[in-house]
Amino acid sequence: MKPGREAISVSGKRLRTHAAEVAISRNVMNRFVPGTNPMQILALTTPGANFTSSDAFGLDTAANTFYVRGFTQTQIGATLDGIPLGTQGFTNQNGVSITQAMIQDDLAGMTISQGAGSLDTFSAQLLGAAMTYTSSDPTDKAGGRLSQSFGSYNAFRTYARADSGVLNPSGTKFYTSFARTENKLWKGEGYQRELQADAKLVQPIGSTGKITGFFGYGNFTQANYLSLTKNMWERLGRDTTYLKPDYEKAKLWAYYAQFTSKVPPGYEGILSNSEVGNYAWDGSQIQRSYLSSVNGHFDLTPLLHSDTVAYGNVSSGVYGGTNNFVTSPSYGVPMLLADGSVSGVPMALQRAHAGMQRVGFTQKFSYEAPHRNLVEGGLWYENNRWIYNARLYEDTPTAAHNMMSDLKKGTGATWFEDTYNSNSFQFFLQDRWTIIKGMTLLAGFKSLTQTTHGGTKNDFTQQLKSEGWNTYYRRPARGSLTASGAFLPHFSFDYHFLEHHEVYWDIAENLRAYDYYSQVASGTAWGGLGNASQPAQQVFDANKKILKPERTWNYVVGYRYDDALFTGTLDYYHTDYYNRLASITEGTANNTRNAYMNVGRETMDGVDVLGAIRPIRGLEITNSFSWNDARYQGTGINYGGRLYSLKGKRQVYYPAYMYKANLAYSWRSTIFNFNVNYISARPMTFLNDISIPPYWLANMTLAHDFGRIGFADHLKASFGVTNLFDKNYIGGVYGAASVSGDNNSNLFVASPRQFIGTIGAQF
């Protein structure tokens, strides 16, 4: 493909008859800093998509936020070579993040459906949109690739891959890859480190099929960035973060947060008491994931084809940090001394030890029926077991804990233990009818059901309190919930006419199963419910009688023009949410008021416009504009004994306007890429009384391929700058929103300007 034509796939290549779908090729991914989160690349090249994080590579799962036309990464279906990836959120409770499933360099490409997502995307979370990742195959010729990156804040990334080439007459071939990414935090103390490895084996079976084996490993160790309120960011600046390494200050602030309603001297009128409680000693996470699969594709007859995927996924995680609202009991009741120091230790390390075991399979058949019909059907079954055990570990009067310690099972004091077991089943059937050449109609449906049993297995709050830990109410709840939809229809139409023109529409209904995580986490039917005066089990039992799974009807209609000089698309979309579930919280960590409730209907209307012009060979200039009007329609919610009307209020955390511009130029062996994004204000609360400010963001990369030098083919050097103009802005948002007011520390400041250079070669 000519350099000037490469970007056609970026600006909206249509794949079969799915709704508005964008394909990102490997060549386009190579325009960005090596190792960049694939979701970040999707957001920079796709209208209606937005990705924000706290680090340049976009690896920080705690701070990552990804939206597509109002849907978050936890509401979007995602697959890798047909393997369901589950929720692409902070933790791996029902799947694995793409950054831990596979090394980015080994992806052959990815697509994102901005409509309702196709029927053959197997996911229990999909409400709208679907991401499909495709891994590269081993090469036919033996060889390898190697690259090394260096950047700001002692960042470095090493990537290596070895391809076996075809080994025998049957066509056996494989590759293995390794990557290590590490950098220091750009504020505070600590580092981020990710180790990745993957391998793929391809074995052709005659001329009618092949078997593919895949293994992916991810090990992510990270010192967290502190999540902030808007006031903390505005009053104390971009660099405000955890208190480490000032241990005496950490104890003092923990004392004020836990035992008083005041703030430390010098912070009167600047911070609230609850904000002081957010400033802990440190926080961190360790995530390990193992993903394996066996895929089989067979042409059973010239007209009947079969695709089978069997997979297993095991992960473990250690999450948490300093808890300012408990006390290490061995050193007595903390007291504020005359010299301003604190006796005792008014804090402790709280760590959650989490684990997942997931097994499943998918089976698809396609039949090329008479009269230009392609009939497809398939099913998916998955069992998932998730555990989440919280433990406390004492700090000492003079030293804190080891941030990255694994803290093996059997150590510490167990606070609570949670277990969940879920079974998911999905079936789909569809017919794709080619009415005339270039005109296709799809009609089908899917059935989805997921049943989850679990919640609190043991809660030792009272026992620990009697031992002097000063523990507080932790919301134990247990029970089962089922989300089920027997008939979820999907219709789409696609018509290519007059050579360069295309019109399409897409209509579908989707259903989302209930989330689960832990008894303390907001945003799930089991988590963060009630308070000491209204027990969580009581709230869960009441919710079980009235909660219904979220459903959406998605409508998309669009037009596309595509030729050698210009690509233009115009999409209008509408979504009707039913049983919109929301988690609402406010207050300090040890005295929050939480609810998980149906806030009624929500409607969403939006328009995406994109134009890409290629005036000369190798140059493409792309501009896109997105407008989204997502508003709650519920007449009121009863929260904390008060009735609040949400009717007409905008959806929290999502911008109404986005503008994107990208300039890509390739000349001979040099590639230059510059992109700029505008993100409008995002509401922080359900009543829309506070917003996250808008921002502009620019990135730039420059790469040159020196060709063959010595024994190395394609010796390539690249240089990238993220956040080119060093904007101070809020990136990711994590956690439940407040009804009103700046009550939650759920904002993450995005990383400042960073420089990253890379040298790579093929052999």
Side-chain angles (χ1 to χ4, degrees):
M1 182 176 289
K2 297 179 181 180
R5 294 287 297 166
E6 175 55 42
I8 292 178
S9 63
V10 181
S11 55
K13 181 180 178 181
R14 300 284 299 142
L15 295 184
R16 306 183 76 171
T17 62
H18 297 167
E21 187 170 67
V22 176
I24 309 299
S25 70
R26 179 70 251 174
N27 285 344
V28 173
M29 297 176 71
N30 288 340
R31 296 176 181 173
F32 297 87
V33 171
T36 299
N37 190 320
M39 290 191 292
Q40 185 167 336
I41 297 175
L42 282 170
L44 292 172
T45 54
T46 306
N50 179 40
F51 178 89
T52 51
S53 185
S54 63
D55 69 292
F57 290 103
L59 300 180
D60 186 353
T61 55
N64 289 352
T65 304
F66 181 65
Y67 277 92
V68 177
R69 292 183 175 177
F71 298 105
T72 74
Q73 68 253 45
T74 63
Q75 300 169 322
I76 297 171
T79 61
L80 169 64
D81 293 341
I83 308 168
L85 295 181
T87 301
Q88 299 293 283
F90 171 34
T91 55
N92 297 329
Q93 74 269 27
N94 60 8
V96 56
S97 170
I98 184 60
T99 58
Q100 296 178 38
M102 187 167 202
I103 301 172
Q104 190 256 54
D105 309 66
D106 294 327
L107 289 173
M110 50 188 174
T111 66
I112 183 163
S113 168
Q114 299 164 284
S118 60
L119 288 172
D120 60 356
T121 298
F122 293 123
S123 170
Q125 289 76 43
L126 192 157
L127 280 179
M131 296 180 288
T132 301
Y133 300 99
T134 303
S135 65
S136 61
D137 279 341
T139 60
D140 290 339
K141 182 180 178 181
R145 285 184 276 162
L146 181 67
S147 71
Q148 181 65 56
S149 302
F150 296 96
S152 305
Y153 304 99
N154 291 343
F156 73 87
R157 181 179 188 268
T158 303
Y159 166 74
R161 167 168 163 163
D163 284 83
S164 69
V166 175
L167 297 173
N168 52 45
S170 68
T172 306
K173 56 183 179 179
F174 70 88
Y175 72 77
T176 60
S177 291
F178 168 82
R180 176 178 176 176
T181 306
E182 184 169 332
N183 59 268
K184 288 187 176 181
L185 300 187
W186 58 267
K187 64 176 179 178
E189 290 204 350
Y191 61 89
Q192 294 175 319
R193 177 189 298 154
E194 182 165 44
L195 302 176
Q196 299 169 280
D198 55 55
K200 185 175 182 180
L201 171 71
V202 176
Q203 177 60 64
I205 306 297
S207 61
T208 60
K210 69 176 180 178
I211 295 177
T212 303
F214 173 80
F215 173 77
Y217 166 74
N219 186 335
F220 185 44
T221 304
Q222 169 184 304
N224 292 128
Y225 292 101
L226 180 65
S227 56
L228 310 174
T229 64
K230 186 179 181 183
N231 178 68
M232 292 163 65
W233 171 54
E234 292 177 335
R235 300 298 294 271
L236 298 183
R238 167 197 276 183
D239 292 334
T240 187
T241 189
Y242 287 102
L243 300 179
K244 191 176 184 176
D246 194 337
Y247 191 59
E248 290 302 316
K249 183 177 182 179
K251 290 195 298 179
L252 178 66
W253 283 46
Y255 176 85
Y256 271 92
Q258 186 176 166
F259 292 98
T260 79
S261 59
K262 301 178 181 179
V263 299
Y267 289 89
E268 298 87 350
I270 299 176
L271 298 176
S272 67
N273 177 261
S274 63
E275 288 174 324
V276 169
N278 295 326
Y279 281 96
W281 168 253
D282 73 0
S284 63
Q285 68 193 68
I286 303 171
Q287 292 177 284
R288 297 187 181 98
S289 180
Y290 306 82
L291 176 67
S292 59
S293 71
V294 177
N295 296 31
H297 170 80
F298 296 96
D299 299 325
L300 303 180
T301 73
L303 300 179
L304 180 62
H305 315 284
S306 170
D307 287 279
T308 306
V309 180
Y311 62 93
N313 188 189
V314 176
S315 70
S316 63
V318 182
Y319 307 97
T322 303
N323 187 329
N324 280 347
F325 297 95
V326 296
T327 298
S328 296
S330 296
Y331 311 102
V333 178
M335 297 182 62
L336 182 63
L337 304 179
D339 63 358
S341 64
V342 173
S343 67
V345 185
M347 59 189 191
L349 171 63
Q350 179 179 334
R351 297 294 260 176
H353 297 254
M356 181 199 70
Q357 296 177 350
R358 186 171 69 113
V359 294
F361 73 90
T362 72
Q363 175 62 57
K364 298 180 185 178
F365 292 101
S366 62
Y367 176 60
E368 299 175 40
H371 308 296
R372 300 183 301 277
N373 288 272
L374 177 63
V375 179
E376 298 171 292
L379 57 87
W380 167 52
Y381 171 75
E382 178 182 287
N383 174 262
N384 182 44
R385 183 175 183 267
W386 167 255
I387 63 170
Y388 185 99
N389 299 327
R391 300 189 181 97
L392 295 173
Y393 304 83
E394 287 194 285
D395 288 327
T396 73
T398 58
H401 44 269
N402 178 358
M403 177 186 68
M404 294 302 184
S405 171
D406 274 332
L407 303 170
K408 302 299 183 182
K409 184 177 181 180
T411 63
T414 301
W415 195 344
F416 60 83
E417 298 174 321
D418 295 345
T419 62
Y420 298 86
N421 191 283
S422 68
N423 288 283
S424 305
F425 176 82
Q426 182 176 327
F427 168 80
F428 84 94
L429 181 65
Q430 65 184 26
D431 179 24
R432 183 178 285 109
W433 176 34
T434 302
I435 304 171
I436 59 175
K437 184 178 180 180
M439 181 185 293
T440 307
L441 175 67
L442 179 144
F445 75 97
K446 67 180 178 181
S447 300
L448 172 66
T449 183
Q450 183 184 94
T451 299
T452 302
H453 305 272
T456 306
K457 181 180 179 182
N458 295 297
D459 187 284
F460 301 100
T461 299
Q462 292 304 316
Q463 177 182 328
L464 295 186
K465 190 172 185 178
S466 66
E467 295 173 0
W469 287 94
N470 199 26
T471 49
Y472 46 90
Y473 186 65
R474 288 281 78 185
R475 302 177 173 83
R478 186 172 184 82
S480 64
L481 287 172
T482 296
S484 184
F487 184 74
L488 302 170
H490 190 143
F491 305 94
S492 65
F493 174 82
D494 188 49
Y495 181 33
H496 295 258
F497 63 100
L498 298 179
E499 187 176 2
H500 300 296
H501 301 266
E502 178 187 7
V503 293
Y504 49 88
W505 53 258
D506 192 280
I507 303 172
E509 183 182 16
N510 282 320
L511 174 142
R512 188 175 189 274
Y514 297 106
D515 282 331
Y516 51 90
Y517 178 50
S518 84
Q519 68 189 61
V520 298
S522 60
T524 81
W526 286 264
L529 303 176
N531 52 33
S533 61
Q534 189 179 23
Q537 188 66 53
Q538 178 181 323
V539 176
F540 179 87
D541 293 340
N543 283 349
K544 185 174 181 179
K545 300 176 182 178
I546 59 175
L547 283 182
K548 296 179 180 179
E550 290 181 313
R551 289 176 180 259
T552 58
W553 274 96
N554 296 283
Y555 309 85
V556 179
V557 60
Y559 165 79
R560 177 174 293 107
Y561 178 86
D562 187 15
D563 68 14
L565 296 177
F566 177 75
T567 297
T569 63
L570 173 63
D571 279 6
Y572 166 76
Y573 60 93
H574 173 83
T575 296
D576 286 312
Y577 267 102
Y578 297 93
N579 310 314
R580 186 72 160 101
L581 299 177
S583 183
I584 303 173
T585 185
E586 63 183 12
T588 61
N590 67 332
N591 190 31
T592 51
R593 183 163 63 243
N594 295 272
Y596 186 71
M597 63 181 66
N598 188 331
V599 297
R601 289 184 61 234
E602 180 185 345
T603 60
M604 181 162 54
D605 291 278
V607 174
D608 287 332
V609 182
L610 179 144
I613 185 170
R614 293 170 285 275
I616 60 174
R617 180 184 176 89
L619 174 64
E620 183 191 65
I621 302 172
T622 304
N623 284 268
S624 70
F625 175 78
S626 300
W627 167 76
N628 179 282
D629 187 33
R631 296 184 182 271
Y632 302 110
Q633 301 300 324
T635 55
I637 58 170
N638 192 329
Y639 174 67
R642 293 183 58 186
L643 184 67
Y644 298 89
S645 175
L646 299 186
K647 188 173 180 61
K649 302 299 183 182
R650 287 179 49 213
Q651 177 180 314
V652 295
Y653 303 154
Y654 190 68
Y657 303 99
M658 288 187 285
Y659 169 74
K660 301 177 183 180
N662 190 87
L663 186 153
Y665 181 61
S666 61
W667 181 72
R668 295 183 180 177
S669 298
T670 301
I671 298 174
F672 173 76
N673 194 75
F674 173 79
N675 62 73
V676 61
N677 284 239
Y678 171 74
I679 307 298
S680 69
R682 293 166 282 171
M684 285 176 55
T685 67
F686 284 97
L687 294 183
N688 295 175
D689 58 332
I690 299 179
S691 295
I692 302 169
Y695 64 90
W696 287 89
L697 178 66
N699 303 286
M700 182 190 74
T701 55
L702 177 66
H704 180 74
D705 189 337
F706 294 94
R708 184 176 182 85
I709 297 181
F711 60 87
D713 288 327
H714 298 291
L715 183 66
K716 182 179 179 181
S718 65
F719 177 74
V721 186
T722 61
N723 193 359
L724 181 62
F725 301 112
D726 199 27
K727 294 295 184 180
N728 177 11
Y729 68 98
I730 295 297
V733 184
Y734 178 80
S738 298
V739 174
S740 64
D742 190 17
N743 297 311
N744 290 338
S745 58
N746 54 7
L747 308 179
F748 288 90
V749 182
S751 63
R753 178 171 50 225
Q754 295 193 36
F755 304 93
I756 301 171
T758 303
I759 296 290
Q762 297 182 22
F763 304 95

